Coordinates of all heavy atoms in Angstrom, one line a residue:
T97 N 145.2 85.1 103.7 CA 145.8 85.5 102.4 C 147.3 85.5 102.4 O 147.9 85.5 103.5 CB 145.3 86.9 102.0 OG1 145.7 87.2 100.6 CG2 145.9 88.0 102.9
F98 N 147.9 85.4 101.2 CA 149.3 85.6 101.1 C 149.6 86.9 100.5 O 148.7 87.6 99.9 CB 149.9 84.4 100.2 CG 149.3 84.3 98.9 CD1 149.8 84.9 97.7 CD2 148.1 83.6 98.7 CE1 149.3 84.7 96.5 CE2 147.5 83.4 97.5 CZ 148.1 84.0 96.4
P99 N 150.9 87.5 100.7 CA 151.1 88.9 100.4 C 150.7 89.4 99.0 O 150.1 90.4 98.9 CB 152.6 89.0 100.6 CG 152.9 88.0 101.7 CD 152.0 86.8 101.3
T100 N 151.1 88.6 97.9 CA 150.7 89.2 96.6 C 149.2 89.2 96.3 O 148.8 90.1 95.6 CB 151.5 88.4 95.5 OG1 151.2 87.0 95.7 CG2 153.0 88.6 95.6
A101 N 148.5 88.3 96.9 CA 147.0 88.3 96.8 C 146.5 89.4 97.7 O 145.5 90.1 97.4 CB 146.4 87.0 97.2
G102 N 147.2 89.6 98.9 CA 146.7 90.7 99.8 C 146.9 92.1 99.2 O 146.2 93.0 99.7
S103 N 147.7 92.3 98.3 CA 147.9 93.6 97.7 C 147.2 93.7 96.3 O 147.3 94.8 95.6 CB 149.4 93.9 97.5 OG 150.0 92.9 96.6
S104 N 146.4 92.7 95.9 CA 145.8 92.8 94.6 C 144.4 92.2 94.6 O 143.4 93.0 94.5 CB 146.7 91.9 93.6 OG 146.9 90.6 94.1
L105 N 144.2 90.9 94.7 CA 142.9 90.3 94.7 C 142.1 90.6 95.9 O 140.9 91.0 95.9 CB 143.0 88.8 94.5 CG 141.7 88.0 94.5 CD1 140.8 88.5 93.4 CD2 142.0 86.5 94.3
L106 N 142.7 90.5 97.1 CA 141.9 90.6 98.4 C 141.2 92.0 98.5 O 140.1 92.0 98.9 CB 142.8 90.3 99.6 CG 142.1 90.3 100.9 CD1 141.1 89.1 101.0 CD2 143.1 90.3 102.1
P107 N 141.9 93.1 98.2 CA 141.2 94.4 98.4 C 140.0 94.5 97.5 O 139.0 95.1 98.0 CB 142.3 95.4 97.9 CG 143.6 94.7 98.2 CD 143.4 93.3 97.9
S126 N 147.3 87.4 107.2 CA 148.3 87.3 106.1 C 149.5 86.4 106.5 O 150.0 86.6 107.6 CB 148.7 88.7 105.6 OG 149.7 88.5 104.5
G127 N 149.9 85.5 105.7 CA 151.0 84.6 106.1 C 151.5 83.8 104.9 O 151.0 83.9 103.8
R128 N 152.5 83.0 105.2 CA 153.0 82.1 104.2 C 152.1 80.8 104.2 O 151.2 80.6 105.0 CB 154.4 81.7 104.5 CG 155.4 82.9 104.4 CD 156.8 82.4 104.4 NE 157.7 83.5 104.1 CZ 159.0 83.4 103.8 NH1 159.5 82.1 103.7 NH2 159.8 84.4 103.5
L132 N 148.9 79.6 106.6 CA 147.5 79.7 106.1 C 146.8 78.4 106.3 O 145.6 78.3 106.7 CB 147.5 80.1 104.7 CG 148.1 81.5 104.4 CD1 148.0 81.8 102.9 CD2 147.3 82.6 105.2
L145 N 142.9 82.3 100.8 CA 143.5 82.4 99.5 C 144.8 81.6 99.5 O 145.6 81.8 100.4 CB 143.7 83.8 99.0 CG 142.4 84.6 98.8 CD1 142.8 86.1 98.7 CD2 141.7 84.2 97.6
L146 N 145.0 80.8 98.5 CA 146.2 79.9 98.4 C 146.6 80.0 96.9 O 146.0 80.5 96.0 CB 145.9 78.5 98.8 CG 145.4 78.3 100.2 CD1 145.1 76.8 100.4 CD2 146.5 78.7 101.2
W147 N 147.8 79.4 96.6 CA 148.3 79.3 95.3 C 149.1 78.0 95.1 O 149.5 77.3 96.1 CB 149.3 80.4 95.0 CG 150.4 80.6 96.0 CD1 150.4 81.4 97.1 CD2 151.6 79.8 96.0 NE1 151.6 81.2 97.8 CE2 152.3 80.2 97.1 CE3 152.2 78.8 95.2 CZ2 153.5 79.7 97.5 CZ3 153.4 78.3 95.5 CH2 154.1 78.7 96.6
Y149 N 151.6 75.8 91.8 CA 152.1 75.6 90.4 C 151.8 74.2 89.9 O 151.5 73.3 90.7 CB 153.6 75.9 90.3 CG 153.9 77.4 90.4 CD1 154.3 78.0 91.6 CD2 153.9 78.2 89.3 CE1 154.6 79.3 91.7 CE2 154.2 79.5 89.3 CZ 154.6 80.1 90.5 OH 154.9 81.4 90.6
M165 N 141.6 81.9 89.5 CA 142.2 82.5 88.3 C 143.6 81.9 88.1 O 144.1 81.2 89.0 CB 142.3 84.0 88.5 CG 143.2 84.4 89.6 SD 143.3 86.2 89.9 CE 144.2 86.8 88.4
D167 N 147.6 83.1 87.3 CA 148.5 84.2 87.5 C 149.8 84.0 86.7 O 150.7 83.2 87.2 CB 148.8 84.4 89.0 CG 149.6 85.7 89.3 OD1 149.6 86.6 88.4 OD2 150.1 85.8 90.4
R198 N 164.5 85.8 94.2 CA 164.0 85.8 95.6 C 164.7 84.9 96.5 O 165.0 83.7 96.1 CB 162.5 85.4 95.6 CG 161.5 86.5 95.1 CD 161.5 87.7 95.9 NE 161.2 87.5 97.3 CZ 159.9 87.5 97.8 NH1 158.9 87.8 97.0 NH2 159.7 87.2 99.1
H202 N 162.4 80.8 98.0 CA 161.1 81.3 97.6 C 160.6 80.5 96.4 O 161.4 80.2 95.5 CB 161.1 82.8 97.3 CG 159.8 83.4 97.2 ND1 159.1 83.4 96.0 CD2 159.0 84.1 98.1 CE1 157.9 84.1 96.2 NE2 157.9 84.5 97.4
V204 N 159.3 81.4 93.7 CA 159.6 82.0 92.4 C 161.0 81.7 91.9 O 161.3 81.7 90.7 CB 159.3 83.5 92.4 CG1 160.5 84.3 93.0 CG2 159.1 84.1 91.0
D227 N 161.9 90.6 99.1 CA 160.5 90.9 98.7 C 160.5 91.5 97.3 O 161.5 91.9 96.8 CB 159.8 91.8 99.8 CG 160.5 93.2 99.9 OD1 160.8 93.8 98.9 OD2 160.7 93.6 101.1
Y228 N 159.3 91.7 96.8 CA 159.2 92.2 95.4 C 159.5 93.6 95.3 O 159.9 94.1 94.2 CB 157.8 91.8 94.8 CG 157.6 90.4 94.5 CD1 156.7 89.6 95.2 CD2 158.4 89.8 93.5 CE1 156.6 88.2 95.0 CE2 158.3 88.4 93.3 CZ 157.4 87.6 94.0 OH 157.2 86.3 93.7
G229 N 159.4 94.4 96.3 CA 159.8 95.8 96.3 C 161.3 95.8 96.1 O 161.8 96.7 95.3
A244 N 158.5 87.6 88.1 CA 157.5 87.7 89.2 C 156.1 87.4 88.8 O 155.8 87.5 87.6 CB 157.5 89.2 89.8
P245 N 155.3 86.8 89.6 CA 153.9 86.6 89.3 C 153.3 88.0 89.0 O 153.6 89.0 89.5 CB 153.3 86.0 90.5 CG 154.4 85.5 91.3 CD 155.6 86.4 91.0
R246 N 152.3 88.0 88.0 CA 151.7 89.2 87.6 C 151.1 90.0 88.8 O 151.1 91.2 88.8 CB 150.7 89.0 86.5 CG 150.1 90.2 85.9 CD 150.1 90.1 84.4 NE 150.2 91.4 83.7 CZ 150.1 91.5 82.4 NH1 149.9 90.4 81.7 NH2 150.3 92.7 81.9
L247 N 150.4 89.2 89.7 CA 149.8 89.9 90.8 C 150.7 90.7 91.7 O 150.4 91.6 92.4 CB 149.0 88.9 91.6 CG 147.8 88.3 91.0 CD1 147.1 87.3 92.0 CD2 146.8 89.3 90.5
A248 N 152.0 90.3 91.6 CA 153.0 91.0 92.4 C 153.5 92.3 91.8 O 154.1 93.1 92.5 CB 154.2 90.0 92.6
V249 N 153.2 92.5 90.5 CA 153.7 93.7 89.9 C 152.6 94.4 89.1 O 152.8 94.8 87.9 CB 154.9 93.3 89.0 CG1 156.1 93.0 89.8 CG2 154.6 92.2 88.0
L250 N 151.4 94.4 89.6 CA 150.3 95.1 88.9 C 150.6 96.6 88.8 O 150.2 97.2 87.8 CB 149.0 94.9 89.6 CG 148.4 93.5 89.5 CD1 147.1 93.4 90.3 CD2 148.1 93.1 88.1
R268 N 150.8 80.3 88.0 CA 150.3 79.7 89.2 C 148.8 79.8 89.3 O 148.2 80.8 88.7 CB 150.9 80.3 90.5 CG 150.7 81.8 90.6 CD 151.4 82.3 91.9 NE 151.1 83.7 92.1 CZ 151.4 84.4 93.2 NH1 152.1 83.8 94.1 NH2 151.1 85.7 93.2
R269 N 148.2 78.9 89.9 CA 146.7 78.9 90.2 C 146.5 79.7 91.4 O 147.2 79.5 92.4 CB 146.1 77.6 90.3 CG 146.1 76.7 89.1 CD 145.3 75.5 89.3 NE 145.6 74.7 90.5 CZ 144.9 73.7 91.0 NH1 143.8 73.3 90.3 NH2 145.3 73.0 92.1
I270 N 145.5 80.6 91.4 CA 145.0 81.3 92.6 C 143.8 80.6 93.1 O 142.8 80.5 92.3 CB 144.8 82.8 92.4 CG1 146.1 83.4 91.8 CG2 144.4 83.4 93.7 CD1 147.3 83.3 92.7
L298 N 140.2 90.9 87.4 CA 141.6 91.0 87.4 C 142.2 90.3 86.2 O 143.0 90.8 85.4 CB 142.2 90.4 88.6 CG 142.6 91.3 89.8 CD1 143.3 90.5 90.9 CD2 143.5 92.4 89.4
F302 N 144.3 91.5 82.5 CA 145.7 91.2 82.2 C 145.9 91.4 80.7 O 147.0 91.7 80.2 CB 145.9 89.7 82.5 CG 146.1 89.4 83.9 CD1 146.2 88.1 84.4 CD2 146.2 90.4 84.9 CE1 146.4 87.8 85.7 CE2 146.4 90.2 86.2 CZ 146.5 88.8 86.6

Side-chain angles (χ1 to χ4, degrees):
T97 188
F98 53 97
T100 52
S103 62
S104 55
L105 176 59
L106 185 68
S126 181
R128 294 195 172 191
L132 297 177
L145 293 167
L146 300 173
W147 53 266
Y149 283 96
M165 63 183 293
D167 187 17
R198 286 295 304 269
H202 192 276
V204 81
D227 60 46
Y228 287 113
R246 187 135 210 186
L247 291 184
V249 289
L250 287 180
R268 60 180 182 174
R269 295 190 307 172
I270 305 300
L298 263 183
F302 285 173

